[in-house]
Amino acid sequence: MLFEAAERLPLLQVGQIYQKFECKGRSDGGIVRNVVRWSIENLLEEQEGATLMVSAKFDVLSKRNIFLQFEEVAVENIKISEQLQALIAPAILPRSFLSLQILQFLKTFRAQVPISSPERRSPGGLYYLSYLDRDMLLGRSIGGGGVFIFTRAQPLL
């Protein structure tokens, strides 16, 4: 869906897409974060201008089944382009307190929207897992969510 949007909107650039599992020391589940690096030409840094993150809890039901419960969507890590920085706070003029506040706000900005609440059930569901080898995993969503192929990458530092 993101790549289709990037084809229709020429200023949108989609960068890295990956998942991060946070379950060290646990065998019953954890948190999975779907991470998409993206940018808007001339406004944000190329390919790495911002991060879209969808977080979900997962519970291990068996060696081959997990249950996902999506919790939150967030936009963070905004890195504005040099052109936009120059527009907000030109280098040839003394930077005002307001322009510095705007730059700091953009640097630390994080917008998050909860997907689940006590009144409403979170999207998610049951996934069947098939390990094809030591580094490749096939995940099938029960209920029409699709088929996903995962490969193990080096741990992020």
Side-chain angles (χ1 to χ4, degrees):
M1 184 167 51
L2 291 169
F3 292 117
E4 289 174 10
E7 284 180 20
R8 281 186 258 125
L9 303 168
L11 299 179
L12 178 65
Q13 302 169 342
V14 178
Q16 285 187 316
I17 300 174
Y18 59 93
Q19 286 188 318
K20 216 166 53 169
F21 286 84
E22 298 171 9
C23 53
K24 193 171 188 173
R26 294 184 60 187
S27 61
D28 61 339
I31 303 285
V32 61
R33 301 187 194 283
N34 297 310
V35 181
V36 179
R37 306 276 189 198
W38 59 279
S39 184
I40 298 173
E41 192 174 326
N42 296 322
L43 293 179
L44 302 174
E45 283 187 9
E46 200 171 309
Q47 300 293 321
E48 301 285 321
T51 301
L52 173 70
M53 189 173 332
V54 180
S55 301
K57 284 196 295 189
F58 72 93
D59 295 310
V60 176
L61 303 177
S62 72
K63 288 183 179 183
R64 297 186 56 135
N65 298 315
I66 63 170
F67 186 82
L68 277 181
Q69 186 173 2
F70 290 97
E71 295 187 318
E72 174 183 272
V73 176
V75 175
E76 61 187 16
N77 299 328
I78 306 289
K79 298 175 188 168
I80 63 173
S81 68
E82 289 183 17
Q83 297 97 318
L84 185 55
Q85 283 185 45
L87 184 64
I88 295 169
I92 57 173
L93 299 174
R95 291 189 168 177
S96 69
F97 178 73
L98 179 60
S99 64
L100 291 174
Q101 289 292 98
I102 292 170
L103 291 174
Q104 185 63 29
F105 171 78
L106 291 172
K107 189 175 187 177
T108 60
F109 177 79
R110 184 177 201 269
Q112 59 196 52
V113 177
I115 298 174
S116 63
S117 69
E119 306 86 48
R120 152 181 99 174
R121 189 169 168 239
S122 161
L126 183 63
Y127 286 79
Y128 289 144
L129 306 176
S130 299
Y131 294 90
L132 303 176
D133 63 22
R134 189 173 173 271
D135 295 320
M136 192 169 288
L137 171 69
L138 182 70
R140 295 177 305 257
S141 172
I142 306 308
V147 176
F148 306 93
I149 300 172
F150 302 98
T151 57
R152 184 185 312 259
Q154 294 297 321
L156 298 174
L157 301 175

